[in-house]
Amino acid sequence: MKLRHSLLTALSGLMLLGASAQTQAESVIRIGLGADPDMLDPHLARTYYGRFVFAAMCDRLVDIDEKLQVVPGLATSWAWSDEGKTLTMNLREGVTFHDGEKFDASAVKFNLERALTLPGSLRKSELSSVESVEVSGPLQVKIHLKTPDAALLSQLTDRAGAMLAPQAAGKADFVTHPVCSGPYQFDSRVQQDRIVLKRYEGYWNKAAYHFDKVIFLPIPDASVRLANLRAGDLDLTEGIAASDVKTLQGDARLSMAKVTGLGYQGITFNIANGKVDANSPLKDARVRQAFSLAIDRDALNQVVFEGLYTPANQAFSPVSPYHVKLPVAPRNVEKAKALLQAAGVKTPLNVMLLVTNNPTAQQVGQVIQAMASEAGFNVNLEMSEFASLLDRQQRGDFQLSLSGWSGRPDPDGSIYAFINSKGTLNDGHYSNAQVDSWLSEARRTNDTATRQTRYNDVVNQLQTDMPIAYLYFEPRIFGMSKKLQGFKAWPDGLVRLAGVTLAP
């Protein structure tokens, strides 16, 4: 009996050691995010932070490289018809979704049609040129368009091209139990705390990915994210604040990756969304111009961002070939006052500005508050969690809102949905038929010169209409442990984990 007891004890010890070794062998990367993503359905989501999760969880039909060129994803090749109204895509063989369902042409048809018809889908305007999707073979689809669309391929590199498992996507709980086909599958989520993904063993390119788990940790305060990184509780974090760059660079255990981004930050004016008063002064473009003229963008950059950001007056980043070389208007308080007087506005004009509840956004809001007061605006700041802020924008429950866009490689993806009268992200309900026409013309042609001309027209018109007061372009600054190898910062600001490893 004693011998048997000793043997069992020894075996139990070995089992515990084995379990411990297995646990220690599990490779995990912990990534800090500036806010908790909204819903984890690519067709309904709109936050930048959700795109980090989708990049690891949901393969797209096509992707982009570091130079923003479209490259194969789940589609291995594609070709346009001569008239530019049919896109034929050949699909990757041997791909399965996380629930084991097969990826094929029927799945692509399901996904694109879902993105176009699902109530509340924010991808509708991105895919509005699509007339029908034809299954032309088990691994081939033909996307038929109403009109040529130069931006369509670029749209398919992001959420509009994300492939979801059809059977799972038909269930009511998909938002809380998403199923895609990427290298990592959904494991669990605790709102405002963490999102956990685990390796998908059936992934077609599994050898390129080296982590068993990916944990996204939303931490709104950039300085707290950096403190977590320095303490070893994070391996990588996006959104390093400009004020923290020197601290990061001074820590021998950490490294930094920085790239000029495609995104912008601005103030959206609610012109006609929701229960807007018929006499709202924001309906008058002169009032919106006045608010914009009250802001010194250079000073804002220096005070909040230590000169690392770039003042903006448009949606197109300087890294975009479609960036319009138009000088940013200097602050002009006297002109702002004159515009308010011409619009018949009694000053001070009380306005409410929605601001995300993180220290950087609050500081931007406070600087704008002080500057605008000198021109006759009494700006009240209302703090909100990021996803809630976007929800309020969409519902029209705001006057002014400080928010932005992470940018897209094709210019259409950074402006059409926000400015077109029927754009799904046009939260202020701005409408100008001439601007709509220019945007549609730019969409329909592949001729670069024509597109540049039309976008130039749009950018110049928006200086007068001012539906959005663009403030600055954001660089994408990442901090990471020096143990993390193979990570690169891309202009779209997303984390791509292929080839990334973490040394012991």
Side-chain angles (χ1 to χ4, degrees), residues 440-460:
S440 296
E441 186 179 347
R443 240 189 192 191
R444 288 195 298 265
T445 180
N446 283 306
D447 181 70
T448 301
T450 300
R451 298 189 84 201
Q452 286 176 328
T453 298
R454 293 288 79 86
Y455 287 127
N456 185 80
D457 291 336
V458 170
V459 168
N460 278 281

Side-chain angles (χ1 to χ4, degrees), residues 389-461:
L389 178 145
L390 293 180
D391 178 63
R392 288 184 60 176
Q393 272 192 203
Q394 195 169 337
R395 291 187 285 109
D397 182 19
F398 76 104
Q399 283 187 294
L400 293 81
S401 183
L402 177 64
S403 63
W405 184 241
S406 52
R408 296 295 182 271
D410 189 276
D412 181 273
S414 292
I415 198 167
Y416 187 96
F418 299 89
I419 298 300
N420 185 274
S421 299
K422 297 180 179 179
T424 49
L425 300 176
N426 183 355
D427 295 328
H429 284 199
Y430 162 73
S431 180
N432 182 319
Q434 179 61 76
V435 169
D436 288 351
S437 176
W438 285 331
L439 289 172
S440 296
E441 186 179 347
R443 240 189 192 191
R444 288 195 298 265
T445 180
N446 283 306
D447 181 70
T448 301
T450 300
R451 298 189 84 201
Q452 286 176 328
T453 298
R454 293 288 79 86
Y455 287 127
N456 185 80
D457 291 336
V458 170
V459 168
N460 278 281
Q461 183 63 44

